[in-house]
Amino acid sequence: MAKKSKKQQELQKLVDRTKAYEVNEAISLVKETSKAGFDETVEAAFRLGVDPKKADQQIRGAMVLPHGTGKSQRVLVFAKGDKAKEAEAAGADYVGEQDLINQINQGWFDFDVVVATPDMMAEVGKLGRVLGPKGLMPNPKTGTVTFEVEKAVNEIKAGKVEYRVDKAANIHVPIGKASFDEAKLAENFEAITDALVKAKPQAAKGTYMRNAAVSSTMGPGIKVDVSSYVK
């Protein structure tokens, strides 16, 4: 543990905690401070000027990052008939109906994203108490309740990410892996930032994009200058 602590301290010295870096400079520092023995995930964190307690200031959505996340997502699809066949053809990892519902009720969670056709939601909705806390419940706002099964599966496999403001008005989104080149990470960061700016609720008052930071799984947080996004 002592060695790890020393290593973290050395990495922290590379970052000026009082400075908000330009996007490209921040991404460069993320890569420089990513020294773990695995390909660390790079995450962007945003603090927004919204009140999550108010229904008209909730922010939730999904988008496909220009360069994906670098992670292979295991997709489960609740569908039947032709839509089940469509899901299988699109590359869904698991496709089923009551059989999968029973497995989940028994504690099986070997998947990352859940998609359901609208006609399955009466049954899938009963899983809310187990899928909800894990952030796995299908939702029309994120495109995971749909009859366009092929499109949904393809987008998820291509690097679709979901974002949702938490109780503290923060949003955390993975934007790739430390092994990505700087340009790809920067483009992914700018894409999610643009999406959040467009999602600004009309009821939000004051500064909307308050601050942002990027970090790798084991690396320090690095502030990003988002003043150009503040309208």
Side-chain angles (χ1 to χ4, degrees):
M1 292 296 291
K3 279 189 175 182
K4 182 178 180 182
S5 176
K6 183 177 179 181
K7 183 177 180 180
Q8 289 299 104
Q9 288 177 23
E10 290 301 313
L11 293 176
Q12 190 68 63
K13 290 178 182 178
L14 299 173
V15 181
D16 182 348
R17 295 178 68 89
T18 66
K19 178 181 178 180
Y21 295 87
E22 292 298 321
V23 174
N24 291 332
E25 193 177 3
I27 294 299
S28 179
L29 272 173
V30 165
K31 290 177 68 65
E32 189 177 350
T33 56
S34 176
K35 300 296 183 183
F38 61 94
D39 192 6
E40 298 178 57
T41 294
V42 178
E43 183 180 84
F46 301 86
R47 179 68 185 276
L48 303 179
V50 298
D51 184 352
K53 294 179 182 178
K54 297 181 179 178
D56 60 356
Q57 294 187 46
Q58 285 286 328
I59 298 174
R60 183 174 188 178
M63 66 172 294
V64 178
L65 293 174
H67 304 288
T69 62
K71 178 184 177 181
S72 178
Q73 298 275 58
R74 297 166 297 176
V75 184
L76 181 155
V77 178
F78 286 110
K80 52 190 175 183
D82 290 341
K83 288 300 173 181
K85 294 177 182 176
E86 183 180 323
E88 291 171 352
D93 298 273
Y94 308 101
V95 182
E97 300 177 53
Q98 192 61 47
D99 55 330
L100 293 181
I101 291 174
N102 293 339
Q103 283 184 255
I104 291 171
N105 276 323
Q106 291 168 13
W108 175 71
F109 294 99
D110 193 22
F111 48 87
D112 303 300
V113 184
V114 179
V115 175
T117 52
D119 59 336
M120 287 295 301
M121 284 307 294
E123 291 301 316
V124 176
K126 297 174 184 178
L127 293 172
R129 60 184 177 79
V130 290
L131 292 181
K134 295 179 180 293
L136 292 169
M137 194 65 188
N139 189 298
K141 292 183 179 179
T142 59
T144 48
V145 176
T146 177
F147 279 120
E148 295 185 72
V149 176
E150 180 181 5
K151 178 184 177 184
V153 173
N154 287 339
E155 287 184 344
I156 293 166
K157 292 289 186 179
K160 185 177 184 178
V161 293
E162 295 184 12
Y163 53 86
R164 184 177 188 178
V165 68
D166 64 19
K167 293 179 180 179
N170 298 316
I171 285 181
H172 298 267
V173 186
I175 59 169
K177 293 288 187 179
S179 60
F180 280 23
D181 64 46
E182 292 178 16
K184 289 182 178 179
L185 286 170
E187 286 177 27
N188 278 354
F189 176 85
E190 291 175 344
I192 186 64
T193 306
D194 284 337
L196 293 179
V197 169
K198 291 176 182 176
K200 178 183 178 180
Q202 290 187 342
K205 304 297 181 183
T207 302
Y208 174 62
M209 186 75 58
R210 296 197 171 173
N211 54 58
V214 289
S215 63
S216 60
T217 305
M218 305 297 290
I222 300 161
K223 294 180 182 178
V224 182
D225 181 4
V226 288
S227 59
S228 62
Y229 293 95
V230 179
K231 307 298 182 184

